[in-house]
Amino acid sequence: MNSALGLYERFRHLIHEALKFGLVGGIAFVVTEIGTNVLHFETGLGPLTSIVIASIVATLVSYAGNRYWTFRNREAGGVGRDYAIFFLLNAIGILIQLACEGFTYYALGLTDKVSYNVALAFGIGVGTLFRFWSYRKWVWRARSGESLEGHEALEPAGAAGTPASAQSRAAHVDEA
């Protein structure tokens, strides 16, 4: 029990960020799913075009939620800089989604609504993993000289740029 509490304490900030990111992402997911389905199945737009348009709208929702809630305690490089990098990283996430959907739709020939939505959800899931990692690394970084209780917990102890407090926590947990 004590080691579980220590593990939670070590990863507390990361867990809280991940939960907030997940909630914002869940809202963006709903926007993408509904938007894509309406655009593709109701208006007849192409399968990939529908994803791009709905994902751009979801990106705007996601930016606001992540910038002003999930990562609000992290260093910001200015709205213009953050937005440009955020949008670039989201474009990569959208390409991941398009690759999954394109493979399912065109290579496998699975064009029914269920297959379309399964491939879309899978692509969003893989893209989301990339987004969470990349936002933390390039868009909203830890503040200089500030320890965000476990925010660098995924970095190995002694890694360049890992705060000394994170290194000492990692050493303490390893001893337990």
Side-chain angles (χ1 to χ4, degrees):
M1 180 68 136
N2 195 18
S3 63
L5 184 59
L7 193 58
Y8 170 76
E9 282 302 316
R10 178 177 179 196
F11 291 102
R12 182 174 54 90
H13 188 76
L14 179 65
I15 291 167
H16 291 185
E17 269 188 356
L19 290 173
K20 289 177 183 178
F21 181 81
L23 184 58
V24 170
I27 294 167
F29 175 81
V30 169
V31 169
T32 303
E33 280 286 335
I34 291 173
T36 298
N37 277 282
V38 167
L39 291 170
H40 181 58
F41 293 108
E42 301 298 322
T43 66
L45 229 55
L48 302 183
T49 303
S50 300
I51 291 172
V52 171
I53 293 169
S55 294
I56 289 171
V57 173
T59 296
L60 298 171
V61 169
S62 178
Y63 178 81
N66 284 308
R67 171 72 176 92
Y68 297 107
W69 186 48
T70 305
F71 298 112
R72 74 174 180 266
N73 294 327
R74 288 178 168 263
E75 200 168 279
V79 174
R81 177 214 167 267
D82 287 350
Y83 194 73
I85 294 173
F86 185 87
F87 226 94
L88 174 67
L89 296 172
N90 259 285
I92 294 169
I94 292 170
L95 289 174
I96 292 169
Q97 290 170 225
L98 293 174
C100 293
E101 190 65 57
F103 178 75
T104 302
Y105 200 89
Y106 295 109
L108 298 178
L110 301 172
T111 59
D112 62 284
K113 200 171 198 174
V114 172
S115 298
Y116 183 83
N117 281 289
V118 167
L120 178 62
F122 181 78
I124 290 171
V126 174
T128 297
L129 292 174
F130 167 76
R131 288 176 180 109
F132 182 66
W133 169 78
S134 64
Y135 295 167
R136 292 180 84 242
K137 182 155 182 76
W138 290 305
V139 182
W140 296 295
R141 299 167 308 279
R143 294 186 187 277
S144 302
E146 181 180 355
S147 172
L148 292 176
E149 290 304 313
H151 82 280
E152 296 297 338
L154 296 179
E155 297 292 327
T162 302
S165 60
Q167 292 174 15
S168 65
R169 280 194 309 275
H172 177 71
V173 171
D174 290 339
E175 292 170 2

